[in-house]
Amino acid sequence: MSNERTEIGSLGEFGLIEHLTKNIEIQNASTVLGVGDDAAVIDHFGKQTVISTDLLLEGVHFDLSYTPLKHLGYKSVIVNLSDIYAMNAVPTQITLSLGISNRFSVESLDEFYEGVYAACEKYDVDLIGGDTTSSQKGFIISVTALGEVAPDKFVKRSTAQKGDLLCVSGFLGSAYVGLLFLEREKKIFMESPGVQPDLEGETYVIGKLLKPEARKDVVEFFAKQEITPTAMMDISDGLSSEALHICRQSNLGCVIYEEKLPVADEMKKAAYKFEIDPTACALSGGEDYELLFTIPQSEYDKLVLNEDISVVGYMTEPEAGSHIITKGGSKHALTAQGWNHLK
Ligand code: ADP
Ligand code: MG
C-alpha cells in the first residue's frame, strides 16, 4: 500500500462507489443484476432465500486502534455469512452499506474493500449493492447476506428434540483471549506510547479474533453425509448463552460436560497468562463464529467422521434445567455468563 492519500471528496459519491465496485465479477447464476441500478435482482430458481443483516459500529463492535481495515472488511462479511450457514443454507450475495467520515481516505477504503473482496472470493459470494453515506464521527458498517437452501431444509433454533446430542464445531474461547491481549496492549500503549506491543507468540488467539472464518465446511459436511441438524445457530456470544437460546426456543433443558469442551492448547496457555480459566473462556467468550447444533443420537456414527465436531452434551426435558458437569463431577446451572464468571 502506498502512502498516497486521495480525499474521498475528489471522487464524489458516485465516483467512489464506481471506484470501489468496478472490478466485481459475478460468481453466482442467481445474481441476475448487481451493482449499478436502483436495486439488485436475484433468482434462486425454486430454492428458498435466507436473509440476515448486521450493523457494526466503531467503538461498540470494533476498535480501529488495533483492527487493520483489511481484517475489518473481511470480518464484516464473515460474521454475516456465518449467520447464513447457521441456517444450513449457502450464502450467495451480500450488500454492504457504509457510513464514513472524511477521516478516511480512498486508500483506506480500498484496504477495507480488499478484505471484503477476499471474503467474497473465498466463500463464493457476490457483492451486489449497498449504500454510502457520510458519518459525523465513527465508521459504520452494515452488511446484509442472502443465501439459498433447498425447500424446507433450513434449520431453526426452536426445533431441537429431547435426547438430541449437542455439538459444536472447532475450538471455543480463542477469540476472547485474543481480545484480552489486544486490549492489554492498547492500555499499555495509551499509558506509554513509546512501548511496542508485545503480542509475540499469541498469533493464534489474535488471529481468531481479527480474522475469523465461517463454517462453510461443516454445512457442506452435513450435505454430503445427509445429516440435517434438528436445531442450529452460530456462536457469536459464547457457548453458554447460545445453548440457553436453543433450550429456551426449543423448550428443553441441556447438560454440557466440561471435559468435552473443545479448547485449543494455544488458547489454554494464553488464558493461563491472564490467570483465567480456559473453561470460562470456552463457555462465555464470544466471537468464535463456530456452529452450535443438535442432532438425533442415531446420527452419531456419521458425525464422528468429522474430527472438527465435538459432542459437548445432550438435550433434556425442560424441567431438568440447563447445567454443566465439571471435570470434578459437580453440577452447576448454566448462565449466560457461564458457570464461572470471567475475572
Ligand atoms: P441510490 O441513489 O438508489 O441509493 P446509490 O447511488 O446509493 O443508489 O448506489 C448506486 C449503486 O451502487 C447501487 O447499485 C448500490 O447498491 C451500489 N452501492 C452503493 N454504495 C455501495 C457500497 N458501499 N458498496 C457496494 N455497492 C454500493
Ligand atoms: Mg444510496
Side-chain angles (χ1 to χ4, degrees):
M1 190 62 47
S2 70
N3 289 326
E4 258 174 74
R5 178 181 167 98
T6 310
E7 297 299 329
I8 289 170
S10 73
L11 293 183
E13 186 191 333
F14 299 119
L16 177 67
I17 295 169
E18 154 71 12
H19 172 81
L20 293 173
T21 60
K22 63 179 184 283
N23 293 324
I24 292 177
E25 284 176 30
I26 299 300
Q27 302 299 324
N28 293 279
S30 52
T31 308
V32 178
L33 186 65
V35 169
D37 217 301
D38 296 310
V41 178
I42 58 176
D43 184 345
H44 275 155
F45 307 106
K47 292 198 172 165
Q48 290 177 336
T49 303
V50 176
I51 304 172
S52 174
T53 192
D54 264 311
L55 181 63
L56 301 171
L57 303 179
E58 183 177 352
V60 179
H61 301 100
F62 57 90
D63 185 330
L64 285 178
S65 64
Y66 54 68
T67 311
L69 280 168
K70 187 173 170 183
H71 287 71
L72 183 61
Y74 193 86
K75 184 168 178 173
S76 305
V77 176
I78 295 300
V79 301
N80 275 271
L81 302 187
S82 178
D83 281 321
I84 301 293
Y85 290 120
M87 299 300 289
N88 199 36
V90 175
T92 44
Q93 287 88 13
I94 58 163
T95 65
L96 168 62
S97 299
L98 300 178
I100 34 183
S101 69
N102 57 10
R103 167 162 77 95
F104 288 87
S105 63
V106 173
E107 286 75 16
S108 58
L109 288 179
D110 281 341
E111 252 177 81
F112 178 82
Y113 267 78
E114 252 184 72
V116 167
Y117 287 127
C120 287
E121 195 179 324
K122 177 154 186 186
Y123 291 85
D124 282 320
V125 302
D126 294 318
L127 173 62
I128 57 163
D131 202 14
T132 308
T133 159
S134 58
S135 154
Q136 290 286 358
K137 257 184 92 205
F139 190 30
I140 302 168
I141 307 162
S142 172
V143 178
T144 297
L146 297 108
E148 56 181 42
V149 63
D152 304 319
K153 283 285 182 197
F154 61 86
V155 176
K156 302 195 286 185
R157 300 175 175 184
S158 57
T159 39
Q161 304 294 312
K162 183 183 150 191
D164 282 351
L165 301 172
L166 183 64
C167 310
V168 296
S169 63
F171 293 113
L172 300 177
S174 306
Y176 175 74
V177 182
L179 178 66
L180 293 181
F181 274 105
L182 291 175
E183 291 281 354
R184 183 190 71 186
E185 292 309 311
K186 180 183 176 184
K187 198 159 162 264
I188 293 171
F189 182 79
M190 303 287 267
E191 284 160 9
S192 33
V195 180
Q196 286 300 306
D198 174 22
L199 301 169
E200 199 64 34
E202 306 305 341
T203 48
Y204 176 82
V205 289
I206 291 168
K208 288 288 178 184
L209 176 75
L210 293 183
K211 193 172 175 290
E213 297 292 346
R215 296 314 300 256
K216 176 184 189 184
D217 59 314
V218 173
V219 170
E220 286 171 352
F221 169 78
F222 292 151
K224 189 154 167 260
Q225 296 300 324
E226 299 183 345
I227 298 171
T228 304
T230 45
M232 183 153 64
M233 65 186 297
D234 72 337
I235 306 181
S236 48
D237 291 341
L239 173 64
S240 306
S241 152
E242 316 295 26
L244 288 170
H245 280 299
I246 290 188
C247 288
R248 196 187 67 246
Q249 290 180 245
S250 296
N251 190 28
L252 293 172
C254 75
V255 176
I256 291 177
Y257 294 92
E258 182 187 12
E259 63 179 356
K260 304 279 188 198
L261 294 176
V263 289
D265 288 338
E266 293 93 330
M267 185 281 259
K268 258 196 228 175
K269 280 189 209 139
Y272 290 143
K273 288 191 194 165
F274 281 97
E275 298 179 3
I276 54 174
D277 180 2
T279 297
C281 298
L283 284 175
S284 306
E287 303 214 42
D288 287 314
Y289 300 102
E290 295 296 343
L291 293 172
L292 172 67
F293 59 94
T294 56
I295 60 158
Q297 290 181 27
S298 57
E299 302 277 53
Y300 180 75
D301 290 347
K302 291 184 188 169
L303 203 66
V304 292
L305 298 172
N306 192 328
E307 287 180 351
D308 225 14
I309 291 174
S310 309
V311 178
V312 296
Y314 62 94
M315 306 308 291
T316 62
E317 63 278 9
E319 295 74 27
S322 302
H323 296 97
I324 176 153
I325 312 282
T326 67
K327 287 176 184 160
S330 57
K331 189 173 168 183
H332 300 259
L334 209 61
T335 67
Q337 286 80 40
W339 58 284
N340 184 354
H341 285 267
L342 294 172
K343 282 183 232 168

